[in-house]
Amino acid sequence: MGLPAVIKQSYIAHLLFAITFFTSGLVINFFQCILYLGLRPFSKYWYRKINYYLCYSFYCQLVFMAEWWSGTDVVIYIKKDDFDKYYGNEHGYLLMNHSYEIDWLMGWMFCERIRMLGNCKAYAKKSIQYVPTLGWAWKFAESIFLERSWEKDKEIIGDQIKELTDYPDTMWLLLYAEGTRFTQEKSKASQDFARQKGLPILKHHLTPRTRGFIASMPHLRGKVKAIYDIQLAFKPSESVKPTMKNLLLGRKVEAHMYINRIPLDSVPENDEAAAQWLHDIYLTKDKMAESFIQTGDFFATSGVPRVEPFKLPRRYWSLVNTLFWATAVLVPMLYYLVKLFLSGSTVYISIGVGIIILFFLMLHKVMGMSEISKSSSYGSAETKKAK
């Protein structure tokens, strides 16, 4: 094992990253709060313009961990004409499979490379908005937080989409229509539900929950031009598994991301037909997943027209941004920690140890939020209530 690998797997390096990430996050949250209270009531335009850069500065530290620290890359499958004409140039509504711990981060890597990262929004459960740093950043970024109560969520979706579609710059809104991350236990419950309702039986996805999708469509029409159907996969034969822990340890993975731009006008206006349209999309996604698992290729057996892959070059901004925050945070933080430990005072030393433990706990909390074993049970126990 070489020196770089030893450094990347050391607890000291992880501690330094945690101190940088969470401290910078709190600083960014502070400025977001000031702007939200002091600027947004007078100018949403300028609030959103400035907040774009604040969100970018925070999010891209995780992108740095993926693409610079671990060397992870993304292979893209997009029609070249569509990519040149549309990507990054229009509001989009994203449908993505939720199969891996880091699928969202691979999406962020792609968005960073097309200069969209600061305006990535998502549907998320309400409790996430109370999580310091990341959850607060999403709240100030006007992501859509759902209460899992349909009567309330229907109003929230409508009101929030109206806000997001007024964004001055290109905005992308992500929906995990499966409702939760795929596991074998949830898959079995989902398949039982699909049999009861006469819906397609999916092997590699959960039956999509159509209510949120249907509720969103009327508010998107005329303002959002396209749906971006995203299928993400990692080759199961790879020895390094796609987890946050492996990225933190500097272990490289390679994602394969197929994205198909679908004009939003192609979604039927009738609710029942729109629901069937979404089920058909997920049936195709399931065929692509099966093809990739069996052959390492999205197109070999799925029936989807082949699209030639390409890679986008890494930009240096996530590296520069992270180095800036590391310098701004670590120099004073380490100075005061050293003073605490050299003070000779039991109280001060205990405070220093407590600070270090706190940062480690926060790091493991964020890692735990992405672990499949700790993912939400929503969609399994509640599957029978899904529509």
Side-chain angles (χ1 to χ4, degrees), residues 60 67 120 122 140 145 158 160 179 197 215 221 269 313 346 365 379:
C60 77
E67 63 181 8
C120 291
F140 289 124
F145 293 98
Q160 199 61 31
K197 299 296 183 180
R221 295 186 188 279
E269 295 191 17
T346 302
K365 176 66 175 178

Side-chain angles (χ1 to χ4, degrees), residues 187-207:
S187 177
K188 184 180 182 302
S190 177
Q191 290 175 356
D192 291 343
F193 172 77
R195 290 189 186 95
Q196 294 172 13
K197 299 296 183 180
L199 299 172
I201 308 298
L202 306 178
K203 292 176 61 178
H204 308 289
H205 300 77
L206 306 179
T207 299

